[in-house]
Amino acid sequence: MDYCLTTNALCKHYKDFKALNNLSMHVPKGAIYGFVGKNGAGKTTLIRLICGLQLPTSGEFALYGVGNTDRKIAGCRRRIGAVVETPSVYLDATARENIREQYRVLGMPSFDGADELLAFVGLGDTGKKRVRNFSLGMRQRLGIAIALCGEPDFLMLDEPVNGLDPQGIIEIRELILKLNRERRITVLISSHILDELSRLATHYGFIDKGSMVKEISADELEAECRKCTRLVVSDTKLLCMALDRIGLEYRVASRTEADVYGEIKAADLVHVLDAAGCEMISMHAKNESLETYYMNLMGGGQNA
């Protein structure tokens, strides 16, 4: 498999704090890679290292197979675009003026393509409107447009939907999918908003305290998100005793709800519960969500 980005035992320490701790990851070419972790897990630190804004303490990374200590890494960085933390924009300029300024920074010979780029991100009709008067979602889309000025084939977005309203989230989601499908751009999205990532990602990397816990494709994740049966009963304490007796695995969700894993014969289960003095109120099949998978993977820790 071809990778846009790989890291090997990558570390970044600030005195006694380990922002990245032996991080090893693999971002496949053409993927939408969901980089998942709590706030402070090390997601932004990784992006800053890849962009060359900071240097690693130890370990290594490679862009398109070129190592970070290779002199060719500067050329590889020209193939990536990034929006780190918040979009860097000129508030008193228009969207088009922001794009033109980025073209100058990159040393591009002309401003051809600026209007097309703005139209692509849905800002083609903003005219002379100053960026300070843009909504948060519009600023985020402008930040992505600026990151696209050098025509990168790898885009890194740091919490791109953080703070957006539902409409803004939908617009960013559709833009990311469009970039991936129409322009074949590989996208790394760092986020802790799991529901939104589940609508986009083809691959996931779960990070905790600067270390990679697990990498998995969306297809593999779907297979691992276990099917279960949600039971609503009169008393889960009695339910647990009954399930322990017959050897079924379960997870208690509340005083009256529990998820039961494995093959269940409804008639047999009702009989066992009746003998235990537990009333069955309802049951239905359900799949484990990405959020539940993440919580189980991280040992039940609270998602930030």
Side-chain angles (χ1 to χ4, degrees):
M1 183 178 290
D2 292 333
Y3 297 104
C4 285
L5 169 67
T6 59
T7 74
N8 180 34
L10 192 63
C11 295
K12 181 61 180 179
H13 300 167
Y14 302 96
K15 293 185 178 180
D16 295 329
F17 177 65
K18 297 179 179 179
L20 293 179
N21 186 22
N22 291 314
L23 179 75
S24 295
M25 66 185 294
H26 311 79
V27 179
K29 184 177 179 181
I32 298 178
Y33 188 100
F35 194 35
V36 185
K38 302 175 184 177
N39 290 332
K43 304 187 301 295
T44 300
T45 299
L46 173 81
I47 294 176
R48 294 179 70 85
L49 293 183
I50 302 307
C51 291
L53 300 175
Q54 294 179 333
L55 295 175
T57 303
S58 62
E60 58 189 6
F61 66 85
L63 285 168
Y64 309 100
V66 177
N68 60 292
T69 58
D70 193 309
R71 297 174 67 178
K72 297 178 181 177
I73 194 67
C76 291
R77 283 197 172 107
R78 293 186 69 87
R79 296 178 60 183
I80 67 175
V83 180
V84 185
E85 297 179 303
T86 57
S88 298
V89 294
Y90 297 101
L91 296 178
D92 288 321
T94 65
R96 193 170 192 276
E97 287 167 346
N98 270 275
I99 296 296
R100 288 167 66 114
E101 186 59 33
Q102 183 64 10
Y103 277 17
R104 292 189 187 99
V105 169
L106 295 174
M108 298 177 70
S110 76
F111 299 135
D112 293 345
D115 292 335
E116 180 184 351
L117 182 55
L118 287 173
F120 186 84
V121 301
L123 297 175
D125 59 354
T126 54
K128 296 183 179 181
K129 186 175 183 177
R130 303 295 169 181
V131 173
R132 70 170 56 257
N133 298 317
F134 282 14
S135 68
L136 186 59
M138 292 171 69
R139 291 187 192 184
Q140 192 66 265
R141 281 183 280 136
L142 177 58
I144 292 174
I146 291 170
L148 293 171
C149 283
E151 298 186 351
D153 46 24
F154 181 29
L155 184 63
M156 295 186 292
L157 304 177
D158 189 13
E159 302 282 2
V161 299
N162 221 12
L164 300 187
D165 60 24
Q167 182 60 36
I169 290 174
I170 292 170
E171 290 169 352
I172 294 296
R173 181 202 311 155
E174 291 178 347
L175 177 57
I176 291 170
L177 289 171
K178 194 175 175 183
L179 288 167
N180 181 253
R181 293 169 180 172
E182 295 183 13
R183 296 200 174 189
R184 305 298 181 188
I185 294 176
T186 303
V187 186
L188 181 147
I189 308 171
S190 88
S191 184
H192 63 280
I193 303 176
L194 302 182
D195 180 62
E196 186 57 33
L197 273 183
S198 68
R199 303 168 190 264
L200 290 167
T202 62
H203 295 75
Y204 296 91
F206 296 95
I207 184 176
D208 188 42
K209 297 178 182 177
S211 299
M212 184 63 72
V213 178
K214 187 166 188 174
E215 286 188 300
I216 190 169
S217 72
D219 290 340
E220 291 168 335
L221 179 61
E222 185 177 351
E224 284 201 19
C225 281
R226 303 163 65 191
K227 293 181 179 180
C228 63
T229 302
R230 170 60 62 94
L231 300 182
V232 180
V233 297
S234 58
D235 187 339
T236 50
K237 288 184 179 179
L238 296 175
L239 172 67
C240 292
M241 288 189 291
L243 295 175
D244 287 338
R245 194 173 302 125
I246 59 178
L248 281 175
E249 185 182 351
Y250 59 87
R251 184 182 67 85
V252 175
S254 71
R255 293 177 61 185
T256 59
E257 295 177 308
D259 294 328
V260 182
Y261 302 93
E263 291 292 330
I264 298 176
K265 293 183 178 179
D268 293 344
L269 183 60
V270 170
H271 177 72
V272 171
L273 293 182
D274 186 54
C278 181
E279 180 187 357
M280 169 85 75
I281 297 172
S282 68
M283 63 185 294
H284 66 272
K286 67 187 288 283
N287 288 337
E288 188 177 33
S289 68
L290 174 59
E291 182 176 355
T292 304
Y293 178 87
Y294 171 76
M295 297 293 282
N296 291 336
L297 185 66
M298 298 301 180
Q302 184 177 356
N303 189 17

